[in-house]
């Protein structure tokens, strides 16, 4: 046992947890921690982002890419509040993250002191837990608890706020190995497994709906084995991408507002829908009262609070998806469903994708990225049309390949997340796909990539409008384009050069292919500005609140 300052205890606890990279921005109240970090820079690499929001998104991207806990740091007041959007993003998508902030000294709390804010209170609704540490003797155990909470059960973010005097005070420190993270199995009831097996064995037309919980549980292998054993077809949510291979014959594509017609129509032809690690988001179900009305619903999820929250189900199993799928697969009888598979194959033939891959458009750009990376890249996105095109046209083979803000829908997420992902998975090409509206929000993080020479590739799908909002204005607001036109003189190639990256502009598919090939070979930060038409749309589409069977595309509108 030895005596250390609170700041030294913070660093030692991070080392205990195996943290190798931290994203953050220093300031007055957290200076002691940064001073201690300076002395351990050979053990923990700190990435100075351009903005604290970038730090929280980078920590999130690191966590999504690796499955480990992402860590970010910020000072008090605006430093801490600038983390909030990133913390909320992680919370909505169940991403393990620990945010460490510092606050004014205990004697100054509650006095509206300079840069004082009750950040633990601010983030209470968007964290699994938030702590404020006012006693140095409680610091080590609080940090250890934070890491355990972030990873246990349904993962999520935890905030630890430390007063400045605690970072300077001294306490005894004794190293401890991290407590093992146990899989949640106590909630798995034998009778629920029995019911699930009976429902599956009675089904002639099973469909599996895969959510992000399968990624979090590291259950993709078990899922594939399970799907093959019961001969089910498989669709996924945005968060479930890659949990089941997008190249598999039984895969029908994403479901929901911009899901495929095969998935949206197919789920209404199934007699059993097995939902694994998904929460029945409104963007997935459409009109919840009309969701999969011909089917029985079996819900497998780690969080009991999600059962019957948005959609009433016929049966459920609560617990770790990996363990539940193993239990069911071990006992279930293998079966073949040729008629059901033929029915889905007929839907695939009836509703092929109509995107022209020779036209310079969002789908063609994504398809070209897929070809040039052979499906092996880490793809981060911002939020909007480009996000949906990425989900639709990049065939994700593995989990943790698509990193995107699903629940919160955070514009400006992508660049920071891409930097974090590249630190977590340096072996993979890392590409952020953004619209011009999103890129404007946090393009300052290109400077971060340049400072550390992080070889990310930023693809801007630039239509000079807020594309997704404009799409809604076109379809539902009689083309009243209120504040969605971005046709100004901003030059992203010059911005890239000014921020220390290499910029390219592409106005056709060949120019884009040439730029992408150079970007991959350069192995440095690159921005590719892709100029496409402002009226390109994401198809298919389900109007907000409508039933999935009302899914339509441009051909349907033209045939009216």
């Amino acid at each position: 046992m030895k005596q250390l300052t609170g700041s030294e205890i913070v660093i030692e606890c991070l080392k205990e947890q195996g943290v190798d990279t931290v994203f953050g921005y220093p300031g007055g109240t957290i200076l002691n921690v940064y001073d201690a970090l300076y002395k351990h820079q050979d053990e923990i690499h700190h990435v100075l982002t351009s903005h604290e929001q970038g730090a929280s998104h980078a920590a999130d991207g690191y966590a999504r890419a690796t499955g480990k806990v992402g860590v970010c740091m910020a000072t008090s007041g605006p430093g801490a509040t600038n983390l909030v959007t990133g913390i909320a993003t992680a919370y909505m998508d169940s991403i393990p993250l620990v945010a460490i902030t510092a606050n004014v000294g205990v004697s100054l709390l509650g006095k509206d002191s300079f840069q004082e804010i009750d950040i633990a209170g601010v983030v209470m609704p968007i964290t699994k837990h938030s702590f404020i540490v006012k006693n140095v003797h409680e610091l080590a155990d609080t940090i250890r608890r934070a890491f355990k909470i972030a990873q246990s059960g349904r993962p999520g973010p935890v905030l630890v706020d430390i007063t400045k005097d605690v970072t300077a005070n001294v306490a005894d420190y004794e190293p401890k190995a991290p407590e093992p993270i146990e899989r949640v199995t106590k909630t798995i009831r034998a009778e629920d497994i029995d019911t699930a097996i009976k429902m599956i064995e009675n089904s002639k037309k099973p469909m599996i709906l895969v959510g992000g919980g399968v990624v979090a549980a590291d259950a993709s292998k078990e899922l594939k084995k399970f799907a093959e054993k019961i001969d089910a077809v498989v669709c996924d949510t945005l968060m479930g991408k890659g949990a089941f291979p997008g190249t598999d014959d039984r895969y029908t594509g994403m479901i929901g507002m911009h899901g495929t017609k095969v998935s949206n129509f197919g789920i209404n032809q199934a007699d059993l829908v097995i939902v694994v690690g998904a929460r029945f988001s409104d963007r997935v179900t459409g009109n919840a009262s009309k969701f999969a009305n011909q089917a029985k619903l079996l819900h497998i999820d780690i969080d009991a609070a999600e059962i019957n929250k948005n959609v009433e189900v016929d049966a459920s199993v609560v617990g770790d998806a990996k363990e539940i799928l193993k239990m069911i697969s071990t006992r279930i009888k293998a079966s073949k469903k040729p008629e059901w598979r033929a029915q889905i194959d007929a839907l695939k033939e009836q509703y092929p994708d109509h995107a022209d891959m020779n036209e310079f458009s969002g789908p063609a750009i994504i398809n070209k990225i897929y070809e040039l990376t052979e499906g092996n890249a880490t793809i981060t996105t911002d939020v909007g049309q480009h996000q949906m095109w990425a989900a639709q046209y990049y065939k994700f083979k593995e989990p943790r390949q698509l990193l995107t803000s699903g629940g919160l829908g955070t514009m400006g997420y992508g660049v920071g997340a891409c930097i974090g992902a590249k630190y977590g998975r340096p072996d993979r090409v890392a590409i952020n796909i953004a619209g011009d509206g999103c890129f404007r929000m946090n393009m300052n993080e290109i400077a971060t990539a340049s400072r550390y020479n992080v070889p990310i590739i930023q693809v801007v799908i630039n239509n000079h409008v807020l594309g997704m909002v404009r799409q809604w204005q076109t379809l539902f607001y009689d083309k009243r384009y209120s504040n969605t036109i971005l046709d100004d003189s901003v030059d992203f190639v010059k911005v890239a050069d000014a921020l220390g990256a290499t910029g390219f502009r592409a106005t056709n598919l060949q120019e884009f292919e040439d730029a992408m090939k150079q970007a991959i070979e350069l192995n440095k930060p690159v921005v590719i500005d892709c100029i496409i038409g402002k009226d390109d749309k994401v198809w298919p589409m389900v109007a907000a609140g409508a039933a999935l069977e009302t899914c339509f595309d441009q051909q349907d509108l033209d045939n009216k």
Side-chain angles (χ1 to χ4, degrees), residues 267-544:
I267 205 160
N268 287 307
Q269 297 178 17
D271 64 5
L272 174 66
V273 177
I274 306 162
V275 182
V276 189
R279 59 187 176 84
F280 294 102
S281 159
D282 58 299
R283 290 295 173 100
V284 168
T285 64
N287 186 330
S289 66
K290 296 182 179 179
F291 179 74
N293 275 346
Q294 305 301 313
K296 289 189 178 297
L297 296 178
L298 170 61
H299 194 183
I300 296 170
D301 204 279
I302 199 166
D303 189 352
E306 293 297 342
I307 307 300
N308 295 322
K309 186 178 86 174
N310 295 329
V311 171
E312 289 283 331
V313 298
D314 297 280
S316 61
V317 188
V318 176
D320 182 84
K322 190 182 189 85
E323 298 302 317
I324 291 168
L325 291 173
K326 277 184 190 174
M327 289 178 184
I328 295 175
S329 291
T330 300
R331 291 178 49 193
I332 201 92
K333 295 173 186 172
S335 60
K336 293 292 179 187
K337 313 270 190 323
E339 292 180 2
W340 174 227
R341 293 291 301 280
Q343 189 173 334
I344 292 297
D345 287 343
L347 281 177
K348 289 182 179 180
E349 284 187 30
Q350 187 177 355
Y351 300 110
D353 183 73
H354 297 296
D356 183 355
M357 293 306 170
N358 295 312
E359 179 187 345
F360 196 52
S361 63
I365 290 168
I366 304 299
N367 185 60
K368 185 59 67 176
I369 293 171
Y370 177 73
E371 285 179 7
L372 294 175
T373 60
E374 298 179 343
N376 294 319
T378 297
I379 303 293
T380 65
T381 80
D382 279 271
V383 173
Q385 289 181 315
H386 63 275
Q387 177 190 34
M388 294 297 102
W389 287 324
Q392 291 172 332
Y393 293 101
Y394 199 100
K395 299 180 182 69
F396 296 97
K397 299 184 286 188
E398 300 172 18
R400 307 194 180 282
Q401 269 193 282
L402 175 64
L403 319 182
T404 190
S405 173
L408 196 63
T410 306
M411 292 177 71
Y413 167 81
V415 186
C418 197
I419 291 168
K422 187 63 179 178
Y423 273 103
R425 287 296 305 270
D427 55 312
R428 277 184 173 167
V429 173
I431 302 168
N432 182 51
I433 299 165
D436 48 320
C438 288
F439 185 55
R440 290 162 183 260
M441 290 198 171
N442 277 342
M443 63 186 177
N444 52 354
E445 295 305 337
I446 293 295
T448 306
S450 299
R451 181 184 300 118
Y452 296 99
N453 196 31
V454 185
I456 65 168
I457 301 170
Q458 168 66 60
V459 175
V460 184
I461 298 183
N462 187 353
N463 52 13
H464 293 96
V465 293
L466 297 177
M468 187 62 86
V469 186
R470 181 187 173 90
Q471 177 166 331
W472 282 48
Q473 288 173 331
T474 300
L475 296 172
F476 309 119
Y477 290 85
D478 293 327
K479 299 184 180 180
R480 294 187 296 275
Y481 298 124
S482 176
N483 291 286
T484 51
I485 297 171
L486 306 175
D487 197 6
D488 52 31
S489 57
V490 174
D491 186 327
F492 292 133
V493 174
K494 289 181 179 178
V495 168
D497 292 341
L499 293 175
T502 298
F504 296 97
R505 180 166 290 113
T507 59
N508 59 56
L509 211 49
Q510 187 59 56
E511 288 177 356
F512 176 70
E513 181 172 347
D514 293 343
M516 269 298 298
K517 286 178 178 176
Q518 287 185 68
I520 293 169
E521 290 171 8
L522 279 171
N523 202 38
K524 61 172 287 189
V526 170
V527 176
I528 307 174
D529 185 22
C530 303
I531 310 301
I532 68 165
K534 64 180 180 294
D535 286 313
D536 287 3
K537 294 180 178 63
V538 178
W539 298 120
M541 183 176 186
V542 178

Side-chain angles (χ1 to χ4, degrees), residues 128-158:
K128 287 186 74 178
H129 206 295
S130 62
F131 299 92
I132 179 165
V133 184
K134 304 176 186 178
N135 184 333
V136 70
H137 300 288
E138 298 172 1
L139 179 58
D141 285 342
T142 301
I143 293 174
R144 290 165 183 149
R145 278 188 66 197
F147 274 86
K148 183 157 189 185
I149 292 168
Q151 299 171 85
S152 298
R154 180 178 182 169
V158 179

Side-chain angles (χ1 to χ4, degrees), residues 9-245:
I9 288 171
V10 171
I11 303 305
E12 291 301 324
C13 287
L14 293 179
K15 287 160 58 179
E16 280 179 10
Q17 298 293 329
V19 174
D20 53 21
T21 308
V22 172
F23 306 89
Y25 206 102
T29 60
I30 203 169
L31 269 178
N32 291 332
V33 176
Y34 271 82
D35 192 52
L37 189 60
Y38 180 85
K39 299 167 187 173
H40 294 269
Q41 57 188 292
D42 292 340
E43 297 162 284
I44 298 176
H45 179 57
H46 180 273
V47 178
L48 176 66
T49 54
S50 298
H51 189 284
E52 291 91 351
Q53 187 183 133
S56 56
H57 291 328
D60 173 300
Y62 179 95
R64 293 187 201 229
T66 63
K68 299 193 289 188
V69 179
V71 180
C72 56
M73 288 182 176
T75 196
S76 61
T81 57
N82 282 344
L83 295 177
V84 168
T85 298
I87 292 170
T89 301
Y91 182 74
M92 289 291 282
D93 290 344
S94 303
I95 305 304
L97 184 147
V98 171
I100 297 172
T101 56
N103 215 322
V104 299
V106 171
S107 65
L108 294 175
L109 288 173
K111 298 182 179 179
D112 293 334
S113 304
F114 178 68
Q115 291 193 332
E116 179 199 354
I117 193 117
D118 176 16
I119 191 63
V122 168
V123 302
M124 196 175 292
I126 54 167
T127 52
K128 287 186 74 178
H129 206 295
S130 62
F131 299 92
I132 179 165
V133 184
K134 304 176 186 178
N135 184 333
V136 70
H137 300 288
E138 298 172 1
L139 179 58
D141 285 342
T142 301
I143 293 174
R144 290 165 183 149
R145 278 188 66 197
F147 274 86
K148 183 157 189 185
I149 292 168
Q151 299 171 85
S152 298
R154 180 178 182 169
V158 179
L159 178 126
V160 180
D161 191 34
I162 310 165
T163 60
K164 185 167 184 178
D165 47 344
V166 166
T167 67
N169 292 343
V170 173
D172 290 335
Y173 167 78
E174 185 173 359
K176 286 186 181 177
E179 292 184 43
I181 305 300
E182 304 288 346
R183 290 191 175 272
V184 178
T185 56
K186 290 181 181 177
T187 55
I188 303 173
R189 304 192 311 167
E191 54 266 42
D192 293 340
I193 294 289
D194 291 342
T195 300
I197 289 171
K198 190 176 294 185
M199 290 174 73
I200 293 165
E201 289 185 338
N202 288 337
S203 169
K204 295 179 180 177
K205 299 192 289 184
M207 190 169 200
I208 300 172
L209 170 54
V210 182
V214 177
V215 177
D218 188 28
S220 56
K221 289 181 182 176
E222 288 75 13
L223 175 74
K224 191 168 189 299
K225 181 179 177 182
F226 172 64
E228 289 168 351
K229 194 162 188 182
I230 68 171
D231 205 17
V233 294
V234 182
C235 62
D236 55 19
T237 69
L238 181 64
M239 297 307 301
K241 284 283 169 187
F244 189 84

